[in-house]
Amino acid sequence: MTDTDIKKGLAGVVVDHTAISKVNAETNSLLYRGYPVQELAANCSFEEVAYLLWNGELPAQDQLVVFTDTEKTCRELDPAVKAIIDALPAGTHPMDVCRTATSVLGARHQLAEDSSSEANLKKATDLWAAMPAVVAYDQRRRRGQAVVEPRDDLGYSANFLWMTFGEEPVEDVVQAFDVSMILYAEHSFNASTFTARVVTSTLSDLHSAVTGAIGALKGPLHGGANEAVMHTFDEIGIRQEESLEEAAARTKAWMEDALAQKKKVMGFGHRVYKHGDSRVPTMKAALDKMIAHYGRPEILGLYNGLERAMDEAKAINPNLDYATGPTYHLMGFDTLAFTPIFVASRITGWTAHIMEQAAANSLIRPLSAYNGQEQRSI
Ligand code: COA
């Protein structure tokens, strides 16, 4: 085996078929079950998109009613999960909280050892419905605030915001959040989804696969980038009194310095999209609305300035995390909560892949080229 036979990082390797989403880097497009993600973001709710990912078709009105009613019955924070979160150290990373909660919910699920397609769909729906309570409670616990009970008169995103902040969110904010949830929901064989498929391929259960996926998503080269973007903004300094132009002017020097130190600037670049992330324009439009809503032009200054500086220096485009980070910040989420929000959304895509993998399974087990010691004796 030569070095050229080794596909480090599996770059460029096609490992299976999928009917869930199509990422086309050449045409800069992303389809969920055939629908462009931009169209879904403009016309559908996150609940409809979740249904689409799991069932292959958008729901009819009566199907949507049954589906959302089911979701609403699973929104409460399980007392056992609350007790375990409370037992974790105060500084526990929220992704570890999500991972632990997923594990507990799996162990406690009435269908824990059933991995039939019906059981998996039920488990997927239950976990998706339960995750906002986990993310919301974790942020509230950090702030010394009590649990907020879910409201069944609100949709998924509005209820997520309600449980986090204890205030009824305004429609523009709900919409921007919903768009982010739709855009984060699915993205073919990325690292966390592939992790979920690898775990599933051993005939392990859905919660184990999602637990593994959460671990993969935590890393800053994947989902953790949305948090890291905010750290960049913080490092440059968010000055609320600044104009857009003043804020932008301070970004160039920061970028030059970061690149001179050969740093990877989080929120830029993508393994698949080399001419721009197809989801960014839609999310940037949502961010623009939030900047106007909250009256924070300096955030736009930092955003535009860094984007321009990166373009001039390396012609690398921003990815979805670059636009979601500041959006969640404006909404009032702790930076630590950004990747857990991504979890709540991506549970839909992960579990769709888990069900697809299980339906046509083959154990995922690649080969390696040994480069250790020659055979020797003790
Ligand atoms: N900042 C600075 N340089 C970057 C960069 C970034 N964010 N992303 C890529 N590059 C540069 C690399 O340094 C490399 O330059 P070189 O050829 O001069 O060494 C070149 O672009 C290719 O990068 P590489 O890391 O090989 O690309 P990849 O396809 O393996 O990596 C990512 C893709 C996403 C891992 C990478 O772009 C990255 O680390 N981005 C930041 C993390 C992030 O935002 N992740 C979320 C992804 S949705």
Side-chain angles (χ1 to χ4, degrees):
M1 184 177 286
T2 65
D3 275 0
T4 50
D5 293 327
I6 298 172
K7 306 294 179 205
K8 205 154 164 84
L10 295 181
V13 176
V14 179
V15 296
D16 208 340
H17 292 281
T18 182
I20 301 168
S21 68
K22 181 176 180 185
V23 180
N24 192 334
E26 299 314 313
T27 56
N28 218 8
S29 73
L30 170 62
L31 310 178
Y32 294 173
R33 301 282 189 190
Y35 294 108
V37 72
Q38 295 79 359
E39 268 186 48
L40 292 168
N43 297 296
C44 299
S45 65
F46 178 42
E47 291 92 318
E48 288 173 290
V49 171
Y51 185 100
L52 170 72
L53 290 172
W54 287 329
N55 298 286
E57 295 296 337
L58 284 165
Q61 195 49 39
D62 55 335
Q63 291 169 318
L64 183 62
V65 169
V66 173
F67 180 65
T68 52
D69 282 352
T70 309
E71 184 269 313
K72 286 174 181 171
T73 61
C74 305
R75 285 179 174 178
E76 262 176 45
L77 185 63
D78 180 333
V81 172
K82 180 178 180 300
I84 284 178
I85 296 177
D86 288 342
L88 297 172
T92 303
H93 193 285
M95 286 297 277
D96 297 354
V97 171
C98 289
R99 198 191 58 227
T100 305
T102 300
S103 197
V104 175
L105 289 167
R108 283 171 54 75
H109 202 279
Q110 71 272 27
L111 300 172
E113 293 309 316
D114 184 348
S115 289
S116 63
S117 46
E118 299 75 31
N120 274 349
L121 186 55
K122 167 95 182 102
K123 288 177 181 180
T125 312
D126 292 353
L127 184 58
W128 169 64
M131 196 49 71
V134 173
V135 179
Y137 177 58
D138 187 54
Q139 167 153 323
R140 294 187 69 79
R141 171 178 98 113
R142 246 187 331 274
R143 295 180 177 189
Q145 298 165 330
V147 181
V148 173
E149 295 303 324
R151 274 179 47 184
D152 62 11
D153 59 328
L154 300 174
Y156 186 97
S157 290
N159 179 62
F160 198 147
L161 294 163
W162 160 255
M163 289 182 86
T164 306
F165 301 111
E167 283 170 21
E168 188 158 339
V170 301
E171 194 44 39
D172 280 355
V173 176
V174 175
Q175 265 185 22
F177 190 74
D178 212 54
V179 163
S180 78
M181 298 301 271
I182 292 170
L183 297 177
Y184 265 144
E186 162 57 14
H187 213 210
S188 77
F189 279 41
N190 54 80
S192 57
T193 302
F194 189 59
T195 303
R197 291 190 76 124
V198 170
V199 176
T200 305
S201 82
T202 70
L203 302 186
S204 186
D205 65 285
L206 179 141
H207 287 86
S208 296
V210 173
T211 305
I214 293 173
L217 190 72
K218 183 182 175 188
L221 294 191
H222 191 6
N226 59 11
E227 293 179 29
V229 169
M230 222 50 234
H231 296 315
T232 301
F233 277 40
D234 286 336
E235 210 179 299
I236 298 169
I238 298 172
R239 300 181 190 156
Q240 281 202 39
E241 70 285 359
E242 248 180 2
S243 70
L244 188 154
E245 293 75 17
E246 286 167 332
R250 290 188 297 112
T251 55
K252 198 171 163 60
W254 184 94
M255 183 63 85
E256 282 169 0
D257 185 49
L259 295 180
Q261 292 181 51
K262 304 253 174 266
K263 279 191 190 160
K264 281 268 171 76
V265 182
M266 298 296 138
F268 288 90
H270 199 274
R271 171 57 66 79
V272 181
Y273 297 117
K274 296 300 177 195
H275 318 291
D277 182 329
S278 64
R279 303 162 296 180
V280 168
T282 309
M283 195 60 226
K284 175 62 175 20
L287 170 61
D288 285 341
K289 279 192 190 149
M290 291 302 92
I291 285 167
H293 175 79
Y294 291 104
R296 298 286 299 277
E298 87 286 2
I299 295 287
L300 186 59
L302 294 176
Y303 185 103
N304 288 346
L306 281 172
E307 184 182 14
R308 198 177 315 123
M310 181 57 113
D311 186 47
E312 284 166 11
K314 296 196 76 150
I316 297 175
N317 298 297
N319 56 52
L320 178 58
D321 293 314
Y322 188 60
T324 53
T327 305
Y328 295 149
H329 171 79
L330 288 170
M331 289 173 178
F333 283 99
D334 291 345
T335 301
L336 284 168
F338 294 0
T339 320
I341 298 169
F342 189 163
V343 168
S345 164
R346 187 57 65 85
I347 280 172
T348 57
W350 287 332
T351 51
H353 279 273
I354 289 167
M355 290 184 265
E356 185 176 66
Q357 177 72 32
N361 192 46
S362 174
L363 176 71
I364 299 172
R365 203 300 188 190
L367 297 176
S368 54
Y370 179 68
N371 66 354
Q373 290 280 356
E374 290 298 329
Q375 182 170 339
R376 51 185 171 163
S377 298
I378 296 165

